[in-house]
Amino acid sequence: MLKGVSAVFKRELAAYFATPLATVFLVIFLFAMGAFTFYMGGFYTNGQANLAVFFSFHPWLYLFLIPAISMRLWAEERKSGTIELLLTLPIPLAASVIGKFLAAWVFAGIALVLTFPIWITVNYLGSPDNGVILASYIGSWLMAGGYLAIGSAVSAGTSNQVIAFVVSVVISFLFTIAGAPLVIDGLSAVLPLELLGTISSFSFLTHFNAIMAGVIDLRDLVFFGTLIAFFLFVTAVLVDLRKAG
Amino acid sequence: MAMIEIDGLAKSFGPVAAVRGVSLSVDKGEVLGFLGPNGAGKSTTMKMLTGFLSPSAGRASICGHDVQTDPLPAQSVLGYLPEGAPAYGDMTPRGFLSFCARVRGLKGEAAKSAIARVVARTELARVLDQPIETLSKGFKRRVGLAQAILHDPPVLVMDEPTDGLDPNQKHVVRELIREMSPQKAIIVSTHILEEVAAICTRALIIDRGRVVADGPIADGRIAFRTSPETGAPGELIADARDLDDVFRALTARPAAAA
């Protein structure tokens, strides 16, 4: 199992850097992060030595950028036929699913780590609470994992990367805003209160905002952990279903 | 027990029955030529044997390991060249073979020597560090072949291994199969019938999802046992060079019926 995870992980991670995908993604990711933080977020003018503005844009950037990573995970294998190779090598299916996910997650982590100049900037300009910043980084990475797991499951259901991208964005959007007033107010007319609570508890924003406050609560960890495990399970089921033709 | 056992394997895709009860077994030392018109169910049978597709009915086992219930041990002793020889295009043959070695549990020196051995046998040295997607069809096929024999498996399943190769390369691959055959159980699907006479010890013809003829090849002669539905007599002895005619007689049908 571990041998399979590690082999698939290494192959996948290397694949990101073997193509222009890694460079293009990283450049756009960092450029977008900078643009949102400095221009739209008014990082300099709001006069606060923290990275709240920077992190507050993460869910919205992930919404479009993470499906761009995850769309290829399984759809590309199916399109190019390599899935037949992957599934006939002695690798447990779970190992392939986890290996691919981990590679994508580490890649997202690399993109996140490369935003470090903004952390240096804020420390140069003032004295921010670096504990809060660290918690926010960890929370952001967990959230990226959630989006990736959703994207992995969607990618397993199609051989078309464009479909995988669009459907992932839509599902990710629903998970992002599940707790927003827009959704809750609209649903409050038709759904009982307890159900509304359940729906809003699936919101990425709610959980990420909680972490951004500087406390990594066990509940938030459990939420993202369970969500990732659930969607990876769905991924495996979808890949296995295709075997039945 | 034979190294490859297929028993009553069937596969339907929705209403379409692609394979309708194929049974066969292949022993060590045998090279089975798996023949049939396009769409007869050759590749589907191979995909089920190798664990890529789940059968609708029947079972398959490799070296005694059931492919459905015990896939990993079965796949560990299997080398498989899928149809079209898929490989990760962004990798180099070196990277790809290293990945396969890692998956097969070959490490360090063992991996190195295994890769060196298959690179020499499939003559890949010249392109070892070029991305696979930039390689010619012949090289791509040989990368797939190298992957299949990397771990020196006792069972080899190859779907059209010589498709897209030039006559010289075809010769190399046939020699390779011939050399390996005494120690292994091999299934080769092909449309090139003279190839069957050259390398196979047995030929099997499949048509519309069923086995219609099966028989050993010895001294250039094939002794087919044919199924009743072909309309041919139960025994059919033919010169291997006439396999073309036999193939057409058994599988061709009037345009109206087809």
Side-chain angles (χ1 to χ4, degrees), chain A residues 28-153:
Chain A
I28 291 179
F29 181 81
L30 296 175
F31 178 79
M33 283 290 178
F36 276 102
T37 307
F38 289 103
Y39 293 99
M40 292 179 65
F43 177 71
Y44 284 135
T45 51
N46 68 11
Q48 291 174 24
N50 62 41
L51 289 181
V53 165
F54 165 69
F55 285 112
S56 68
F57 286 112
H58 283 204
W60 307 106
L61 275 171
Y62 284 164
L63 196 53
F64 292 98
L65 291 179
I66 294 289
I69 304 180
S70 65
M71 66 181 191
R72 53 166 289 281
L73 283 177
W74 292 95
E76 190 179 45
E77 296 255 5
R78 216 168 267 293
K79 195 84 177 174
S80 67
T82 47
I83 187 136
E84 187 166 355
L85 195 81
L86 186 66
L87 296 184
T88 55
L89 284 170
I91 309 173
L93 178 57
S96 294
V97 171
I98 294 170
K100 276 172 170 287
F101 169 78
L102 283 182
W105 203 17
V106 165
F107 180 67
I110 292 171
L112 202 53
V113 165
L114 288 177
T115 62
F116 72 90
I118 198 158
W119 171 72
I120 292 175
T121 306
V122 78
N123 270 280
Y124 175 75
L125 293 173
S127 34
D129 184 338
N130 282 319
V132 171
I133 291 178
L134 181 65
S136 303
Y137 264 115
I138 292 171
S140 176
W141 190 56
L142 280 171
M143 185 169 59
Y147 285 123
L148 275 173
I150 292 173
S152 160

Side-chain angles (χ1 to χ4, degrees), chain B residues 150-165:
Chain B
L150 181 67
H151 51 301
D152 197 17
V155 171
L156 254 181
V157 176
M158 294 179 279
D159 203 344
E160 302 193 3
T162 56
D163 184 42
L165 300 184

